[in-house]
């Protein structure tokens, strides 16, 4: 029995390691001139114009990959989606890819288990996230983590898979939190395709202002998440 458990744990660890470490390493060495090249990503809409019949599927696949392998930037993918398919089409492509990617990540963590996840990720961070998500305000915290720029999101879905949060509420709340940031990139692509440079300038200025505000207030926002967790603890103690 013990030997079977150890074998199972090793297999699960190898599966997780191949996805979390192996895939990024493979992509880096084989896609440095594409997925990790800023110039290539900027030209993604024009490149996909030649594959218009498959462009939506390609973009959904890239968005899924971006959520699972979070070192790939998501903005160029969302930009390309709205450039080719408009605001509604671009949003649907992005959110479908994000939902599938988050689902894979959530269940991957839940199936492979705590030991495998904490070997590959910082145990203290996973514990911190899981503790927050297991509080009565876990879904609110998920929404804020995905909504606020500058707060690390990479471990959230993995921690959620290890927490008591149910899958459907997590998916709904995380998707809602992602949406405003996605829409910024989507609008940029839409305006760029229509050569509406005034709208691009306004959107860029608003984005910079928001990022500066969030950066200045990042400690306050992190403190807000901690405060929500502490309030829930006090509520349960009383």
């Amino acid at each position: 029995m013990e030997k079977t458990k150890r074998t199972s744990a090793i297999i699960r660890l190898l599966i997780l390691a191949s996805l979390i470490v192996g895939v990024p390493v493979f992509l880096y060495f084989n896609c440095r001139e594409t997925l990790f090249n800023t110039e290539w990503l900027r030209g993604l809409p024009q490149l996909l114009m030649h594959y218009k019949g498959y462009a939506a599927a390609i973009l959904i696949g890239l968005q899924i990959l971006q959520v699972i392998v979070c070192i790939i930037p998501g903005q160029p993918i969302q930009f390309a989606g709205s450039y080719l398919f408009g605001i509604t089409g671009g949003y649907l492509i992005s959110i479908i890819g994000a939902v599938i990617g988050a689902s894979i990540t959530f269940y991957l963590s839940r199936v492979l288990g705590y030991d495998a996840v904490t070997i590959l990720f910082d145990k203290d961070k996973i514990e911190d996230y899981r503790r927050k998500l297991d509080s009565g305000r876990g879904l609110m915290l998920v929404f804020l983590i995905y909504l606020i720029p500058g707060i690390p999101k990479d471990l959230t879905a993995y921690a959620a898979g290890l927490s008591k949060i149910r899958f459907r509420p997590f998916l709904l709340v995380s998707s809602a939190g992602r949406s405003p940031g996605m829409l910024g990139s989507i609008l940029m692509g839409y305006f760029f395709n229509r050569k509406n440079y005034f709208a691009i300038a306004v959107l860029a200025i608003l984005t910079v202002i928001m990022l500066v505000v969030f950066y200045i207030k990042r400690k306050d926002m992190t403190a807000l998440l901690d405060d929500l967790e502490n309030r829930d603890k006090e509520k349960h103690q009383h």
Side-chain angles (χ1 to χ4, degrees):
M1 182 66 72
E2 286 300 320
K3 186 176 180 181
T4 303
K5 286 183 178 179
R6 281 200 303 271
T7 303
S8 174
I10 291 169
I11 291 171
R12 287 183 292 171
L13 177 60
L14 289 173
I15 293 171
L16 187 59
S18 66
L19 289 169
I20 307 306
V21 178
V23 172
V25 169
F26 174 83
L27 289 174
Y28 178 76
F29 284 106
N30 290 275
C31 305
R32 276 184 293 181
E33 300 305 317
T34 53
L35 293 178
F36 299 95
N37 186 307
T38 305
E39 291 300 320
W40 186 88
L41 287 170
R42 285 176 184 167
L44 186 58
Q46 288 75 24
L47 177 65
L48 290 175
M49 289 289 285
H50 301 293
Y51 306 95
K52 196 70 182 287
Y54 309 99
I58 292 170
L59 287 169
I60 289 172
L62 288 173
Q63 185 66 68
I64 293 169
L65 190 62
Q66 189 273 325
V67 173
I68 298 171
V69 185
C70 45
I71 57 174
I72 299 171
Q75 291 82 1
I77 300 167
Q78 295 144 21
F79 180 98
S82 60
Y83 185 97
L84 294 172
F85 299 102
I87 295 173
T88 302
Y91 177 73
L92 286 173
I93 286 169
S94 297
I95 202 66
I96 288 170
V99 164
I100 295 172
S103 302
I104 292 170
T105 307
F106 182 95
Y107 276 113
L108 185 67
S109 176
R110 183 152 288 187
V111 169
L112 297 181
Y114 180 84
D115 291 338
V117 173
T118 53
I119 285 174
L120 288 175
F121 295 112
D122 186 288
K123 185 175 181 179
D124 292 336
K125 286 183 179 179
I126 287 288
E127 275 297 321
D128 183 51
Y129 271 71
R130 188 167 73 158
R131 187 177 63 251
K132 284 180 168 60
L133 298 180
D134 279 339
S135 72
R137 301 173 188 267
L139 289 175
M140 183 187 295
L141 291 168
V142 168
F143 177 75
L144 291 173
I145 287 168
Y146 279 99
L147 176 69
I148 300 170
I151 291 180
K153 301 165 176 55
D154 303 347
L155 299 180
T156 307
Y158 288 99
L162 298 174
S163 73
K164 297 174 184 175
I165 284 183
R166 289 181 295 129
F167 171 66
R168 288 184 182 178
F170 166 77
L171 203 59
L172 179 64
V173 170
S174 62
S175 298
R178 288 180 194 275
S179 292
M182 278 185 173
L183 285 170
S185 301
I186 287 166
L187 287 171
M188 191 68 78
Y190 178 80
F191 292 140
F192 193 86
N193 186 30
R194 282 150 184 76
K195 296 180 172 57
N196 189 340
Y197 299 116
F198 176 75
I200 290 172
V202 171
L203 186 60
I205 291 168
L206 289 174
T207 301
V208 170
I209 291 171
M210 287 175 61
L211 288 173
V212 169
V213 171
F214 280 129
Y215 179 78
I216 293 171
K217 297 289 185 181
R218 67 191 186 284
K219 291 183 180 178
D220 294 334
M221 292 172 183
T222 303
L224 172 62
L225 297 180
D226 292 333
D227 184 54
L228 287 171
E229 180 191 357
N230 292 332
R231 285 184 194 178
D232 187 70
K233 284 181 182 177
E234 291 174 2
K235 181 180 176 181
H236 281 83
Q237 285 174 357
H238 290 89

